[in-house]
Structures are given as C-alpha cells and as structure tokens.
Amino acid sequence: MLQHSPVTHEAEADPLPQGAVDLRQESEAAGIAGVLDHLDRDLVGLTPVKTRIKEISSLLLIERIRSRMGLVAVPPTLHMSFTGNPGTGKTTVALRVAEMLHKLGFVRRGHVVSVTRDELVGQYIGHTAPKTKEILKKAMGGVLFIDEAYYLHRPDNERDYGQEAIEILLQVMETQREDLVVILAGYGDRMDKFFASNPGFRSRIAHHIDFPDYSEQELIAIAELILQQQNYRFSADAREAFVRYIALRKTQPLFSNARSIRNAIDRMRLRQANRLVANLDRSLTVADLERIEAADVLASRVFAAAATTRPDSHATGARV
C-alpha cells in the first residue's frame, strides 16, 4: 500500500500571479511594523492616535506599491495638525511619523526640526524671511514640527511679522510638499481659531489628529514605565500615594499630562536620594536603591497645596 507523505503548508503556498506584489513582504521590507511597535512602546494609550498613524502608513504603503507597478500614484498631501494639551505625546508621534515617512521613501532624511514662533519670526523688518528660510532649509527632506503654531498669527499687533513667515510657509508647503512635511501643533481651540484666520493652512493640512488627555490609570502606567526604564519601582504604599498625587495634581494649574508625571518622578528620585543619604551609617541594598517609598511621594507640595484649599482649612495662603 502506498504511504502518502504529509504535505507541509509551506510547500503548498500558492505562487504569486505574474507581476503581483507580496504585500506582507513589502510591509516587512519597509519596516512599518517596527515603527508602529516602537510607537506602542513609547506611548501608553492614545489608541485613536495610533490607529490614525497606522491608517496613514497603510495609505503610504499602497501608494508606494502603486508607483512600483506603474499605476498613477499622486504623492499624497502629508502635512498634519496635532491638537491636544501639553504632554500628550505630540512630539514623540512626530518623531515616529518622520521615521515612517523615511522608511517608505516619502522623505529623504527622516529627521525632525522642532521650532516655535521665535525661531521663525524676527523682531525687525527684514529679519523674518531669512530666519524662516533658514529653518526650512534645515528641515528639508524631513519634518518641520511647529509647536504652538497659532502664535505665528497676531492680528492685534500691527508691527508683527508673523504673517510674513506664514506666507513663506504656505508657499513651501505647496511647492515642495514632496520634500517636506509640516506638522502644526497646539491646543485644539486655539488651532481652530488659527485655521479660521488662515484658511491657506487648513487647505494644505491633510490629517488633523487630536491627542486626548491621559486617564488617571494611564498616567499611573506611564509613571511605572518610566520608573522601570530607570530601574526604580514603587512600594505598595508609594503607588497608592501616587494615585492620590495624580488625582490632586490634575486639579491644579499647569498640569501637563506625561510631562508632569516625568517631572514628579524626578522630584521623587531627589527625595529618595536625600532620604537614603540622611543616614550615612547604614548599608544599602539594590532593593533600597530601587524602591520609591510613600514618604518620597507624600512630601510633594501638591499635598500641602490641597490641604490649604480644603473647606475646613483656615489657611489663606496661595497654592504652590
């Protein structure tokens, strides 16, 4: 009796039709998965943002394949607007976007030049154009990230030169869009007013991406990720105290999401170091050096400020 040898799935893989492209192979060759994985590792949460970046990467991959297969492939407009509060990951996402664009061949270099109004607008007649053009020259082949972009437009100041920078930017965004991607960033409501006052920008922006604030659970996860990267960890009591810290800090002025969390961790490390060094006669273990205790958290001025604002408190001093 004839024995039939088992057939592996690899051996039965259907050959590609003539002229076809292996989509998985193309994606792997471009390194898209690596960029998206990097984005996931860099940032906690932000699911809507990550979904949008993945959609853009899919569009670019298909456009690249269309071009290689001789189909009409009009380079897509890639200028973007990132709106959201400080510390929500806009700059980090811009870095990953630049990396993705470079891997897919849509920009030559893949670097990011991050600027604010001060780097683009001069204080005197004749200064703005050279400043703006110099920044654009540095950014060519990559991404120009303009933070708080709405400050470029100051209609209440007759002697302001921001409009000159805007006109140069608009021209370059249109004529050299195959060699430069501009990302405008800032608070959502202010960016809406900025676009209303400058319709030329809105017409050139293809992707408007909103960055939500982090939830308290996500902020805890961010804190623990930062600590892990630095070989620290919360004790159980310290973690509980930090949960309380976040709830209080979010109600106080100038809260900046992940940026505020990073700053809080820096101060906790400072307090931990002072606590450990306070007793020079003791020996230290790795566990001692790694562990953040509740006292390192509770010494924050955030708790003191909250105490002065309680209804039963007689303190009238300003919060710090």
Side-chain angles (χ1 to χ4, degrees):
M1 177 181 260
L2 292 175
Q3 298 290 327
H4 293 282
S5 302
V7 180
T8 63
H9 290 289
E10 290 79 8
E12 287 186 341
D14 292 332
L16 291 174
Q18 186 175 2
V21 169
D22 187 318
L23 187 57
R24 180 179 295 277
Q25 184 177 352
E26 288 292 319
S27 178
E28 291 175 352
I32 294 175
V35 175
L36 297 177
D37 287 346
H38 201 173
L39 188 61
D40 268 334
R41 291 194 302 271
D42 283 348
L43 295 172
V44 170
L46 296 181
T47 299
V49 175
K50 293 174 181 177
T51 298
R52 189 64 181 277
I53 298 302
K54 185 176 181 180
E55 292 170 350
I56 294 171
S57 73
S58 298
L59 170 66
L60 300 183
L61 178 63
I62 293 301
E63 285 299 309
R64 186 167 94 153
I65 293 173
R66 286 176 58 89
S67 179
R68 288 180 52 186
M69 298 185 75
L71 297 173
V72 174
V74 179
T77 300
L78 295 171
H79 303 310
M80 304 180 189
S81 169
F82 289 179
T83 53
N85 290 324
T88 48
K90 296 186 290 293
T91 303
T92 300
V93 172
L95 292 170
R96 299 286 78 80
V97 165
E99 182 183 0
M100 178 181 71
L101 294 173
H102 177 58
K103 286 181 178 294
L104 286 165
F106 285 86
V107 294
R108 290 178 292 114
R109 298 168 60 191
H111 64 304
V112 176
V113 174
S114 182
V115 298
T116 60
R117 172 192 162 90
D118 290 344
E119 283 83 24
L120 296 169
V121 181
Q123 295 181 342
Y124 308 102
I125 295 176
H127 285 192
T128 295
K131 289 185 71 170
T132 302
K133 290 177 181 178
E134 181 62 26
I135 291 297
L136 288 166
K137 182 179 178 181
K138 291 179 181 178
M140 282 298 166
V143 170
L144 175 61
F145 182 85
I146 307 177
D147 199 12
E148 298 183 314
Y150 34 75
Y151 285 132
L152 290 174
H153 181 70
R154 290 181 173 173
D156 54 328
N157 186 346
E158 295 181 358
R159 299 185 62 184
D160 183 68
Y161 305 109
Q163 188 60 40
E164 185 178 359
I166 288 173
E167 291 171 1
I168 295 171
L169 284 168
L170 289 173
Q171 181 181 9
V172 171
M173 288 171 69
E174 183 64 29
T175 62
Q176 300 190 53
R177 61 179 184 169
E178 295 181 30
D179 199 34
L180 177 70
V181 171
V182 175
I183 299 177
L184 307 178
Y187 291 106
D189 56 344
R190 297 185 188 181
M191 290 300 293
D192 287 341
K193 293 178 182 177
F194 174 71
F195 286 131
S197 302
N198 297 273
F201 269 120
R202 184 178 290 279
S203 66
R204 289 169 173 79
I205 298 294
H207 305 283
H208 293 262
I209 304 177
D210 185 59
F211 287 65
D213 287 334
Y214 288 108
S215 68
E216 292 184 11
Q217 292 78 11
E218 288 171 337
L219 292 170
I220 285 291
I222 289 169
E224 292 182 323
L225 179 61
I226 294 172
L227 289 173
Q228 180 183 6
Q229 292 170 344
Q230 299 178 359
N231 290 129
Y232 287 89
R233 62 179 179 82
F234 284 126
S235 70
D237 289 344
R239 189 183 189 282
E240 181 181 346
F242 197 70
V243 170
R244 292 164 51 202
Y245 170 90
I246 289 175
L248 292 171
R249 183 64 185 89
K250 287 183 71 175
T251 67
Q252 296 181 353
L254 305 178
F255 178 70
S256 301
N257 286 280
R259 194 177 303 163
S260 290
I261 296 301
R262 186 174 295 277
N263 291 339
I265 288 173
D266 287 342
R267 290 190 289 271
M268 286 189 296
R269 290 175 54 197
L270 179 67
R271 297 187 202 106
Q272 185 229 40
N274 278 278
R275 174 173 55 79
L276 294 176
V277 173
N279 182 3
L280 293 177
D281 294 325
R282 63 174 295 185
S283 58
L284 295 176
T285 66
V286 170
D288 293 326
L289 296 169
E290 289 181 332
R291 190 169 55 245
I292 299 294
E293 298 285 6
D296 306 324
V297 181
L298 295 171
S300 169
R301 289 180 296 174
V302 167
F303 293 97
T308 65
T309 58
R310 289 175 185 167
D312 59 345
S313 175
H314 297 290
T316 58
R319 293 163 65 182
V320 293

